Amino acid sequence: MPAHTRLEHLGLWVLAAALYAWISPDGLLYWDSFGYVSQCAQGQVGGLMLGRPLFVLLGHTIARITGLFSVDLAHLEPTLRAVCTLTAALSAPLTAALALSLGTSRAASRWAGLVVAASPAIAHAAGAVLTDGPALSATLAALCVAQRAQHARHWLFAGALFALSVGLREPSISFGSVLVAIACAQERTTRVRALLLISLGFLLLAVPTLAWCWGQPGWRESVLAWRVAMARERLEPRSLLRDGAIYLGWLFALGPVALFAALRGWSQFRALLGSWREARFWVCTLSLAQLILLAFYQDISFSPRYLMAAFPGAIALVAGLVLAQVRTRAVTVAWVAAVLAPALIAGPVLRRREAPLRSVIDSVPARLAHVATDTVIVTGQACPAVQLRRTIERIRLQNHSELQPRWVTVCPGWSWPNDLSQALAAHCTAGRPVLVDLRPQSYVGERQQRALATLTQWAERVRSDPREVCHARTTRW
């Protein structure tokens, strides 16, 4: 790779890291992030799918290194967030590198990388402690290596990188069809060999990872619990019209200029993507298929981060081909400003919107300092913050088991009881105090709002009836 190209890719990485840090939450905000920090601190696989094992292993290594310099686990989250941000920012130069390897011009590759670097939706998730950003970078790296492969070790390395992306986030497997497509786009004599070597490289990393998972206490039970929870979630009522509207909004949030440029590109895809015999055609079309199918994902209304894996191939590469057709410098500058503007505006706008929830989450440690160790805590988006604080305190007090908190959390979502009154009455009968959080800013999204409504009705009934078993044991946060 020429020196000027490497310099361009370095610039894209720095730009992406800066924009991701500018837009992303300043601290824990995503529900999953709290669990990831807890799992990395303890070195335990989580309860999502197979447990994101490689993410946990790498995070636990970072936690051990962090522990050499600070005994306060509160410093772990900023470290993990910085590592995730810098790793996720690699997706911008890797998209540009993939575009070059697929035969696009330097201008098209630069535009594709810029689109990924300046995506507000990607930046918000990529700058948090989440698996999405690092997994996307690993997948793009696998694609780049596979496309440029000349020797057997390259195919093996591509397969290992693909296994890394799946170990970071298991849904990356859905993007694996692109790897197969690239292998199939090679010469007939190398096609089977490429597929076999990719598969072997994948297995060389995936098998030991699964073997490690199998030996972890509670792993098989967590996988079963995840499957049960997902089945339960699929039975919940959905509004396809509302979810469809949110999905379209997420596409816009990925980057309005990129979206419109990609739509134009797909309208002339035969001229831009070439024939079905070319790898570029397969990367883009299979990514587009994945992007469309995600419209029907049951949790698509929660976050645009679920679209990250398909974004580079379905939108960024195609948009880059269209934007590269700009000829004059003045128009180019105008388009660059248009691509960057949403990201620059999104930072302060999102921070202002997140301020009430940020205040709730930041207040959790101080509030818990005055809560009895056996309290049942019912809250919304602050629920995983309580669980993380419980983990931190248990690690800190591991030599004083009698002082360790035993808080029980009742959270919206998978663990929300079918009969809230019965569940809380059982805790009260057992002698546990119940702390309820009725602050509207603590509850985010339709599911949590339904939980708040149920909790409010229960709290009002308990407060007004002295005969209720929980009457004397219930307090408000």
Side-chain angles (χ1 to χ4, degrees):
M1 184 181 294
H4 57 79
T5 302
R6 289 197 296 269
L7 189 61
E8 289 175 358
H9 290 176
L10 177 62
L12 284 171
W13 178 61
V14 172
L15 176 64
L19 291 176
Y20 293 178
W22 168 250
I23 294 176
S24 61
D26 185 19
L28 292 168
L29 200 68
Y30 282 91
W31 185 287
D32 291 349
S33 296
F34 295 94
Y36 289 139
V37 174
S38 178
Q39 291 151 26
C40 291
Q42 301 174 88
Q44 297 177 347
V45 291
L48 297 175
M49 262 183 150
L50 300 179
R52 315 292 199 252
L54 291 179
F55 185 86
V56 171
L57 281 171
L58 293 173
H60 188 54
T61 301
I62 295 171
R64 297 292 294 270
I65 295 173
T66 303
L68 297 176
F69 302 96
S70 172
V71 294
D72 188 357
L73 279 176
H75 295 160
L76 175 59
E77 185 274 331
T79 305
L80 289 173
R81 177 157 37 100
V83 172
C84 286
T85 301
L86 294 175
T87 305
L90 290 171
S91 60
L94 284 169
T95 298
L98 177 61
L100 281 176
S101 68
L102 293 174
T104 70
S105 65
R106 279 184 59 201
S109 72
R110 286 196 298 265
W111 278 111
L114 180 64
V115 161
V116 173
S119 168
I122 286 184
H124 195 264
V129 184
L130 291 170
T131 60
D132 308 72
L136 174 60
S137 293
T139 301
L140 289 169
L143 293 171
C144 288
V145 173
Q147 178 59 21
R148 296 174 181 269
Q150 298 293 328
H151 304 288
R153 63 179 181 274
H154 298 151
W155 293 112
L156 288 171
F157 186 43
L161 285 171
F162 179 37
L164 173 63
S165 70
V166 174
L168 293 171
R169 181 173 177 79
E170 297 89 341
S172 299
I173 196 75
S174 61
F175 206 46
S177 56
V178 179
L179 272 179
V180 176
I182 288 180
C184 291
Q186 305 301 310
E187 295 295 331
R188 185 183 299 273
T189 55
T190 63
R191 194 174 297 168
V192 174
R193 181 168 175 260
L195 287 173
L196 289 175
L197 289 171
I198 283 180
S199 301
L200 178 59
F202 179 87
L203 292 174
L204 286 174
L205 182 57
V207 170
T209 302
L210 286 177
W212 176 78
C213 288
W214 188 267
Q216 298 303 300
W219 177 72
R220 281 161 285 180
E221 291 78 6
S222 71
V223 173
L224 178 61
W226 173 80
R227 292 182 59 187
V228 171
M230 292 298 289
R232 175 183 174 184
E233 192 174 86
R234 281 192 289 269
L235 296 176
E236 292 187 2
R238 288 185 62 192
S239 171
L240 294 179
L241 185 62
R242 182 209 61 185
D243 286 359
I246 292 175
Y247 169 78
L248 293 177
W250 292 154
L251 291 178
F252 190 80
L254 286 169
V257 173
L259 177 62
F260 291 128
L263 289 173
R264 180 178 177 182
W266 281 110
S267 69
Q268 48 182 320
F269 77 96
R270 289 189 178 181
L272 292 177
L273 302 183
S275 74
W276 63 272
R277 296 180 181 276
E278 297 182 42
R280 183 167 65 189
F281 173 88
W282 287 105
V283 169
C284 294
T285 54
L286 288 176
S287 297
L288 179 64
Q290 182 184 3
L291 187 69
I292 294 172
L293 288 174
L294 283 167
F296 305 97
Y297 177 53
Q298 62 192 38
D299 288 340
I300 195 59
S301 62
F302 288 173
S303 174
R305 66 189 178 96
Y306 301 119
L307 305 177
M308 285 175 61
F311 178 71
I315 295 181
L317 291 177
V318 181
L321 291 168
V322 172
L323 292 170
Q325 297 173 357
V326 176
R327 298 302 179 191
T328 65
R329 177 168 302 204
V331 176
T332 298
V333 171
W335 279 115
V336 168
V339 170
L340 291 174
L344 297 175
I345 295 170
V349 171
L350 289 172
R351 277 190 288 276
R352 186 164 56 251
R353 288 190 58 189
E354 294 162 359
L357 180 59
R358 175 86 275 143
S359 176
V360 167
I361 291 174
D362 289 344
S363 69
V364 165
R367 289 177 178 272
L368 289 177
H370 307 289
V371 174
T373 61
D374 60 343
T375 300
V376 178
I377 302 173
V378 192
T379 183
Q381 192 70 16
C383 217
V386 175
Q387 295 169 343
L388 176 59
R389 195 65 197 176
R390 181 180 60 195
T391 297
I392 291 174
E393 289 300 305
R394 285 178 175 176
I395 294 175
R396 186 176 67 86
L397 299 169
Q398 56 187 337
N399 296 324
H400 304 278
S401 57
E402 72 282 359
L403 300 177
Q404 292 180 354
R406 301 182 301 277
W407 301 312
V408 175
T409 54
V410 179
C411 306
W414 294 349
S415 61
W416 188 257
N418 292 324
D419 190 330
L420 181 66
S421 299
Q422 183 179 0
L424 295 183
H427 286 299
C428 293
T429 302
R432 288 178 172 273
V434 176
L435 178 64
V436 296
D437 184 359
L438 302 179
R439 295 170 295 176
Q441 63 268 33
S442 298
Y443 295 82
V444 179
E446 183 180 355
R447 179 184 294 181
Q448 293 189 18
Q449 291 295 329
R450 291 199 302 265
L452 174 60
T454 303
L455 179 62
T456 301
Q457 293 174 359
W458 177 85
E460 290 176 350
R461 187 175 71 250
V462 167
R463 182 179 57 183
S464 62
D465 189 350
R467 297 169 297 176
E468 281 280 355
V469 66
C470 288
H471 178 77
R473 293 192 172 276
T474 302
T475 56
R476 292 180 60 172
W477 215 353

